[in-house]
Amino acid sequence: MLTIDAATLHDLADYPGLVAALREMNRMGVDQVERLYLGQPRADGGSNDWLLLPAWWHDRIFGVKLVSVFPGNQAKGLETILGSYMLFDGTNGVPLAYLDGAALTLRKTAANSALAADFLARPDAETLTVIGAGALAPYLAAAHAAIRPIRRILWWNRNLAKAEEVAAQCQLPGVEVIVAEGLEAAVRAGDIVTCATRSTKPVVRGNWLKPGSHLDLVGGYLPEMREADDEAIARAARHYVDARLTTLTVVGDVCQPLAAGLLQETAIIDLGQVARGEKPARLSADEVTWFKSGGGGHEDLAVADYIIRQAMKTKQA
């Protein structure tokens, strides 16, 4: 059985390859069940979270990710997101590999947003606005830059010093990184706006989104979390999610507008439908596109499969 630590996984996880693997998985389909979530309230009103996400690609592979999210870890010098992934042979059940779950989550989540942007963002998108300065934010920046001709990144975070720290670590060839002091101006300038926060109140206002922009909502993973307001729903030509199972009743940016009657379940398009050509992607240069990432075991499985195949190629070389 292979053991893939975080450093090795990051070395093997090129974004074009990950995006291609996720595209194939969405086209073919993978069986998964609703994630198991357990939460422990914290004194500051937030929570420590533990999630289990299994999936099975029949006659190929199956696996499960166990991931914890402890926001208070940052102050202790520990990683916020921690986890493990176990991958098994889908033909005989034999364990194939253990992978670092935190590294897998970071790469998978970023590549998933990049896949959505590859379907939905304008081909000439040059300005990326990043909202948030947590562990995931730099990976989102790199992933989007891998599939669109990004020349400028505007980085905003409530804590300006943290934004400056994270932005300074973002070294992308040919890309100018600017720490933005004003959120509204940064959103208005973005061809792609990617939001990775744990906010319970909308951070992005729909009337800030310029024609032709693509909104990528990544951070909220619970019903009480919300990153974009109702106007963002109204501005979007269509509404996309990565998977219904991990969004419709799970994440605030989807379940809250559904409950309020602002969004209809029948109108929501998932990436599998787009990958199979059943539903359209972007249809015009001026429309605003809206995507909510809920994650899911199917995405982890596709990425784990790709990483293992890359590891085997490296081993044989």
Side-chain angles (χ1 to χ4, degrees):
M1 185 177 75
L2 291 175
T3 297
I4 308 294
D5 62 18
T8 302
L9 193 150
H10 284 305
D11 286 342
L12 295 171
D14 64 293
Y15 286 115
L18 294 180
V19 169
L22 287 166
R23 190 188 305 271
E24 179 194 13
M25 179 275 299
N26 275 287
R27 183 178 60 82
M28 296 182 65
V30 168
D31 283 351
Q32 62 174 328
V33 297
E34 188 171 354
R35 70 186 187 184
L36 173 62
Y37 164 77
L38 297 172
Q40 177 189 39
R42 300 197 318 271
D44 62 3
S47 67
N48 297 320
D49 305 317
W50 187 46
L51 301 94
L52 284 75
L53 300 94
W56 188 318
W57 200 331
H58 288 294
D59 297 323
R60 186 163 172 171
I61 49 171
F62 62 91
V64 60
K65 182 174 74 174
L66 301 88
V67 61
S68 60
V69 183
F70 278 60
N73 276 2
Q74 193 171 24
K76 304 173 185 177
L78 300 173
E79 295 294 331
T80 299
I81 303 173
L82 298 165
S84 304
Y85 194 91
M86 282 297 302
L87 185 69
F88 301 83
D89 190 314
T91 65
N92 56 28
V94 173
L96 293 176
Y98 163 86
L99 300 91
D100 184 272
L104 177 72
T105 299
L106 292 169
R107 289 284 177 166
K108 175 267 300 189
T109 306
N112 188 52
S113 281
L115 172 63
D118 205 25
F119 285 130
L120 302 173
R122 287 174 54 137
D124 60 352
E126 293 186 344
T127 298
L128 171 67
T129 297
V130 178
I131 301 173
L136 178 59
Y139 294 92
L140 286 167
H144 282 297
I147 54 89
R148 284 295 183 270
I150 302 300
R151 295 291 175 263
R152 182 175 65 151
I153 296 177
L154 303 176
W155 215 303
W156 184 89
N157 188 60
R158 286 191 176 93
N159 184 326
L160 186 62
K162 181 62 176 176
E164 291 174 342
E165 177 187 339
V166 174
Q169 299 170 2
C170 185
Q171 303 295 323
L172 297 171
V175 179
E176 180 185 18
V177 181
I178 303 169
V179 175
E181 295 187 8
L183 174 59
E184 179 178 349
V187 172
R188 287 187 181 278
D191 298 314
I192 299 173
V193 178
T194 184
C195 192
T197 74
R198 301 180 77 253
S199 181
T200 56
K201 296 180 180 179
V203 179
V204 175
R205 296 183 183 179
N207 59 9
W208 295 346
L209 298 168
K210 70 179 182 180
S213 63
H214 170 62
L215 178 59
D216 175 43
L217 301 172
V218 186
Y221 58 92
L222 295 174
E224 61 269 24
M225 294 178 176
R226 187 87 186 266
E227 294 188 295
D229 67 1
D230 292 344
E231 181 64 21
I233 296 287
R235 286 288 310 282
R238 283 166 304 285
H239 303 92
Y240 299 84
V241 299
D242 47 355
R244 285 173 164 76
L245 183 64
T246 61
T247 55
L248 296 190
T249 62
V250 180
V251 296
D253 277 292
V254 179
C255 67
Q256 290 183 30
L258 282 174
L262 301 172
L263 188 59
Q264 302 302 315
E265 186 174 331
T266 54
I268 294 174
I269 300 171
D270 64 61
L271 292 188
Q273 292 174 302
V274 179
R276 294 188 294 272
E278 298 167 1
K279 295 290 184 177
R282 172 176 288 273
L283 292 178
S284 74
D286 291 335
E287 69 183 16
V288 172
T289 53
W290 178 103
F291 170 71
K292 174 56 194 170
S293 172
H298 61 312
E299 295 159 13
D300 295 309
L301 186 63
V303 168
D305 178 52
Y306 177 76
I307 295 298
I308 292 305
R309 287 188 280 114
Q310 291 298 101
M312 294 304 295
K313 289 179 183 178
T314 302
K315 189 175 180 180
Q316 294 168 4

